[in-house]
């Protein structure tokens, strides 16, 4: 069955196409080359005057796992305040800051997104995370397995195990948790918190294991690279939210010695100590370092004003932030002594000096990092703001007049500490397509997503061009998922079930003897029950498993 999308203005950075009018053909869920004359077109869409991009990809969004479900149960008022009615097409749902699984899929699709990746999939809790993601309709998904504070790994480092053994363990974790990458949260710090350490800087030892965060990051970044996992080590840095943490972030970039590294929600790690309040922007220094170090990429974790909830695996930080909860409630917890999480509701206020400067810092980073292939649009959903605020964020990046108008409304003291007003850059549609499509797909390792070339999955979003970029990106005309029309005029018209993406690098299965012995000694579950099977992910026919290619041992980037 051949579908033709005729005459749209295409932005496809993976193929260097910047606003070119061209036709796109789709057959059996894939984009195909223009067929020979005489081929029968089953359905044609006239896209004259429309903007055509690949489906958008959110490479860092908390949509499944223990902390997300805790956030949902902690905020019944969030559910009551934003109900979603049952329709002929969609089931009922709810939630603004942390929408229900069904609502999450619908709202992503309604904005033109066709994939989203959970960045903190705790291996011991991977089954629940996959069940939640499996209940999220339309979009593709996947997760990054969270290690670096787990007891088995820290024991390996303390015992000076060789790199090959570390690599085997990391690969085993990826297989067992059906993950797409590896995430480190506050390297070693989640563990250190359990031994009553309240901060852990880059070269400070965990009091129990005698291991530093620098050792954790260097060892894991090397492991991910040598295993050929496409997505670099995904790093939530130490000292999140602490004034002066810009130094920790800069040292982290240097500390991995040239191995690829992705720094997540970098806005929360870009704070200086200048000024009367000892809180200032380190955005210029962070952006300069990213510009200079080609092995570093980052997503921003932009905060936007309003009510949300912070949900993080960094229970050290969340315990410290508990007193700022709004409304006044919070949860900190641990699973099997391998990791933990903290959930604290929060309301960002434009007249609060710290919140206002955080807002400006994120935008400064976006606008000062030169390469849109290495900076990515996130709000660290829901920590900085719900993902539904992306159209507003895109307008801030593309419209300097609008941005400066918003700047003029925030805390005057924060305005005085920011250089945002002096930055003239405005993102182009081509750069937005890189940051939210082509670049994100490349970073995560989706070889057949994020572009509109022949052979790609037919994940396609069509917008009406509008000078009001928020209006434009909030309500696409059409969204196709795997060649099926799922959204029309901003509303879901068909519910499909996207795939789960994983990687499965090669490793020495002999590592399981040591892991099994560890499980039998310390864990409350059997090692085999820890593993998530292929059948569990595809259970009920809602989705399929796509294993993305690993390239084997690679050389590091200088």
């Amino acid at each position: 069955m051949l579908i033709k999308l005729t005459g749209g203005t295409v932005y496809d950075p993976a193929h260097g196409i910047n606003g070119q009018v061209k036709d796109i053909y789709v057959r059996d869920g894939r984009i195909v080359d223009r067929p020979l004359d005489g081929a029968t077109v089953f359905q044609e869409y006239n896209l004259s005057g429309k903007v055509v991009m690949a489906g958008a990809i959110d490479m860092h969004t908390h949509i499944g796992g223990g902390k997300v479900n805790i956030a949902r149960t902690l905020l019944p008022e969030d559910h009551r305040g934003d109900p979603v009615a049952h329709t002929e097409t969609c089931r009922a749902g709810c939630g603004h800051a942390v929408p229900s699984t069904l609502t999450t899929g619908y709202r992503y699709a309604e904005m033109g997104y066709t994939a989203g990746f959970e960045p903190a999939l705790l291996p011991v809790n991977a089954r629940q995370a996959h069940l939640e993601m499996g209940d999220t309709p339309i979009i593709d998904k996947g997760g990054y397995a969270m290690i670096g504070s787990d007891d088995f790994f820290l024991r390996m480092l303390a015992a000076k195990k060789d790199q090959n053994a570390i690599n085997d363990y990391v690969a085993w974790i990826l297989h067992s948790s059906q993950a797409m990458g590896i995430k480190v949260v506050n390297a070693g710090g989640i563990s250190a918190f359990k031994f009553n350490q309240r901060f852990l800087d880059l070269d400070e030892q965990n009091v129990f294991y005698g291991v530093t965060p620098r050792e954790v990051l260097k060892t894991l970044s090397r492991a991910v690279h040598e295993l050929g996992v496409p997505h670099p080590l995904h790093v939530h840095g130490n000292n999140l939210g602490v004034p002066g943490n810009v130094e920790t972030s800069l040292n982290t970039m240097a500390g991995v010695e040239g191995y690829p590294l992705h720094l997540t929600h970098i806005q929360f790690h870009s704070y200086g100590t200048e000024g009367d309040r000892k809180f200032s922007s380190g955005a210029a220094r962070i952006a300069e370092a990213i510009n200079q170090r080609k092995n570093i990429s980052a997503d921003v974790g932009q905060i936007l004003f309003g009510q949300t909830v912070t949900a993080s695996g960094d229970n050290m930080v969340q315990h410290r932030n508990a007193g700022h909860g709004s409304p006044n409630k919070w949860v900190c917890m641990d699973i099997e002594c391998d990791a933990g999480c903290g959930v604290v509701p929060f309301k960002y206020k434009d007249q609060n000096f710290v919140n206002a400067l955080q807002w400006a810092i994120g935008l400064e980073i976006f606008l000062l990092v030169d390469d849109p292939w290495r900076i990515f649009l996130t709000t660290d959903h829901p920590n900085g703001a719900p993902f539904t605020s992306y159209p507003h964020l895109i307008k801030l990046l593309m419209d300097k007049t609008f941005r400066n108008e918003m700047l003029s409304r925030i805390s005057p003291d924060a305005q005085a500490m920011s250089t945002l007003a002096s930055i003239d850059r405005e993102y182009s549609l081509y750069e937005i397509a890189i940051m939210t499509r082509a670049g994100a797909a490349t970073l995560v390792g989706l070889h057949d997503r994020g572009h509109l070339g022949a052979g790609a999955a037919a994940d396609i979003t069509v917008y009406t061009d509008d000078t009001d970029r928020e209006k434009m990106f909030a309500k696409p005309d059409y969204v196709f998922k795997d060649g099926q029309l799922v959204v029309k005029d901003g509303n879901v018209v068909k519910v499909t079930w996207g795939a789960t993406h994983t990687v499965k690098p090669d490793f020495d299965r002999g590592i399981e003897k040591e892991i099994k012995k560890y499980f039998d000694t310390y864990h409350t579950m059997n090692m085999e029950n820890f593993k998530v099977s292929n059948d569990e992910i595809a259970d009920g026919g809602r989705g399929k498993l796509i294993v993305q290619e690993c390239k084997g041992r690679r050389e590091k980037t200088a």
Side-chain angles (χ1 to χ4, degrees), residues 74-118:
L74 187 66
L75 294 172
E77 62 270 36
D78 182 61
H79 301 175
R80 290 192 298 268
D82 198 356
V84 179
H86 179 92
T87 68
E88 291 184 3
T89 305
C90 300
R91 292 167 58 188
C94 58
H96 169 69
V98 273
S100 60
T101 54
L102 296 168
T103 302
T104 294
Y106 302 151
R107 286 180 175 166
Y108 261 121
E110 287 169 348
M111 294 194 309
Y113 277 74
T114 54
F117 290 86
E118 164 57 52

Side-chain angles (χ1 to χ4, degrees), residues 59 144 229-232 234 261-262 297-299 373-374 376 438-446:
M59 47 73 61
Y144 315 139
V229 176
H231 185 43
H234 196 96
L261 201 71
H262 180 82
S297 60
D299 62 84
W373 291 90
R374 293 191 293 118
F376 299 93
T442 300
L443 180 77
V444 175
L446 304 180

Side-chain angles (χ1 to χ4, degrees), residues 133-207:
M133 290 191 289
D135 200 43
T136 303
I138 303 176
I139 63 172
D140 286 358
K141 43 259 171 185
Y144 315 139
M146 193 172 93
I147 60 175
S149 278
D150 52 308
D151 180 60
F152 187 87
F153 171 74
L154 291 174
R155 285 171 183 265
M156 292 183 82
L157 275 193
K160 307 298 182 185
K161 293 285 187 177
D162 67 28
Q163 187 67 43
N164 288 335
I166 298 287
N167 293 1
D168 289 337
Y169 174 63
V170 170
W172 183 84
I173 285 287
L174 288 166
H175 280 252
S176 298
S177 61
Q178 298 279 12
M180 188 71 175
I182 294 293
K183 165 82 171 289
V184 176
V185 173
N186 190 358
I190 300 172
S191 169
F193 178 70
K194 298 166 191 176
F195 298 98
N196 209 33
Q197 288 180 267
R198 292 298 182 253
F199 294 92
L200 193 68
D201 213 345
L202 198 61
D203 292 304
E204 185 178 356
Q205 289 188 344
N206 181 302
V207 294

Side-chain angles (χ1 to χ4, degrees), residues 258-489:
Y259 287 105
L261 201 71
H262 180 82
L263 299 174
T264 192
H265 43 64
I266 190 64
Q267 178 276 135
F268 288 105
H269 306 269
S270 302
Y271 304 152
T273 57
E274 298 174 357
D276 294 340
R277 306 196 193 196
K278 304 301 180 184
F279 184 77
S280 60
S281 171
R285 296 178 67 195
I286 291 293
E288 181 182 12
I290 294 173
N291 289 338
Q292 291 175 350
R293 297 181 181 274
K294 304 305 180 186
N295 61 310
I296 302 296
S297 60
D299 62 84
V300 171
Q302 178 68 37
I303 77 122
L304 295 166
F305 302 119
Q307 180 68 53
T308 191
V309 58
T310 62
S312 174
D314 196 343
N315 51 3
M316 177 187 279
V317 168
Q318 291 296 74
H319 181 267
R320 188 168 67 240
N321 289 340
H324 300 294
S326 178
N328 184 22
K329 48 185 171 179
W330 58 278
V331 172
C332 275
M333 55 90 68
D334 183 87
I335 299 177
E336 289 281 340
C337 294
D338 264 357
C341 74
V343 179
V344 182
F346 197 82
K347 187 173 185 178
Y348 293 100
K349 302 175 181 178
D350 60 2
Q351 296 307 307
N352 175 286
F353 168 75
V354 171
N355 295 168
L357 192 53
Q358 287 177 303
W359 175 87
I361 290 168
L363 294 173
E364 288 171 0
I365 293 170
F366 270 121
L367 297 164
L368 293 174
V369 171
D370 297 331
D371 186 359
W373 291 90
R374 293 191 293 118
I375 193 75
F376 299 93
L377 188 143
T378 66
T379 57
D380 187 22
H381 165 79
N383 290 286
F387 66 81
T388 46
S389 61
Y390 286 169
H392 177 76
L393 176 53
I394 289 172
K395 183 174 181 178
L396 287 168
L397 297 176
M398 296 190 72
D399 188 335
K400 181 179 185 289
T401 300
F402 175 71
R403 185 168 68 235
N404 284 347
E405 181 185 345
M406 294 297 102
L407 177 65
S408 70
R409 300 179 185 180
I410 69 171
S411 159
D413 290 343
Q415 291 181 50
M417 292 292 290
S418 172
T419 62
L420 187 60
S422 66
I423 302 175
D424 292 328
R425 182 180 178 185
E426 295 178 321
Y427 269 71
S428 66
L429 284 173
Y430 189 72
E431 289 175 315
I432 293 295
I434 293 172
M435 187 167 53
T436 61
R437 274 88 171 167
T442 300
L443 180 77
V444 175
L446 304 180
H447 308 297
D448 62 347
R449 266 73 175 170
H451 68 91
L452 298 172
D459 294 353
I460 305 167
T461 303
V462 179
Y463 302 100
T464 295
D465 200 359
D466 196 309
T467 55
D468 185 339
R469 298 307 192 187
E470 183 171 358
K471 180 181 177 182
M472 172 181 168
F473 282 96
K475 190 175 181 179
D477 297 73
Y478 302 108
V479 180
F480 297 87
K481 181 73 186 82
D482 294 314
Q484 299 186 67
L485 181 64
V486 294
V487 170
K488 183 177 180 181
D489 296 329

